[in-house]
Amino acid sequence: LRAIHAKKTGALILAAVKMAAIICGATPKQKKALSAYARNMGMAFQIADDILDVTASTRALGKPVGQDARNKKASYPAIVGVDRSVELAEKHVRLAHKALSIFGGSASHLANIASYAVRRKK
């Protein structure tokens, strides 16, 4: 499941962050940190998406919920439960934040995006 999630939204986030790093002239150390951030942020986002499919209402989410269960898709809540899924999403946000530590406060916007990924309601 981790590999599947990494190849979904996680891959798009990683590609976007890597391109931005190249355009901004990031050092190899900065590129490595940004890649770690993007991988963890992407995983947190996908786990949060799985959680929302189980816990949100169709009205709040703006799309039908329960699709993963109806389609018998593997999801974090189905495999490890909602509570453990929340813990894992939060763990990946912490790892994303840790990866940004080399930038000091100058990457606070990226840290906020990772935090939002797991707090979002839709």
Side-chain angles (χ1 to χ4, degrees):
L1 183 56
R2 191 175 324 146
I4 291 168
H5 278 3
K7 292 177 182 173
K8 292 170 67 174
T9 305
L12 294 172
I13 293 168
L14 180 58
V17 170
K18 281 185 165 185
M19 286 186 282
I22 291 166
I23 290 168
C24 292
T27 67
K29 183 177 177 181
Q30 290 170 329
K31 288 177 186 174
K32 183 177 179 180
L34 288 166
S35 291
Y37 160 80
R39 282 191 298 277
N40 282 291
M41 195 279 215
M43 189 61 67
F45 183 95
Q46 281 297 152
I47 295 170
D49 202 56
D50 285 357
I51 294 166
L52 288 171
D53 190 63
V54 173
T55 62
S57 68
T58 297
R59 182 180 175 117
L61 200 53
K63 66 178 184 178
V65 295
Q67 296 284 41
D68 292 345
R70 275 193 294 285
N71 295 325
K72 298 183 182 4
K73 278 179 62 179
S75 72
Y76 273 86
I79 294 171
V80 300
V82 172
D83 291 341
R84 180 68 179 134
S85 297
V86 169
E87 291 171 6
L88 288 170
E90 290 172 352
K91 172 190 165 194
H92 283 286
V93 169
R94 284 191 306 275
L95 291 170
H97 288 175
K98 183 178 177 183
L100 295 174
S101 65
I102 69 162
F103 297 101
S106 65
S108 62
H109 286 15
L110 292 175
N112 291 339
I113 291 169
S115 295
Y116 174 76
V118 297
R119 285 195 312 251
R120 63 193 170 92
K121 301 299 178 200
K122 57 181 182 172

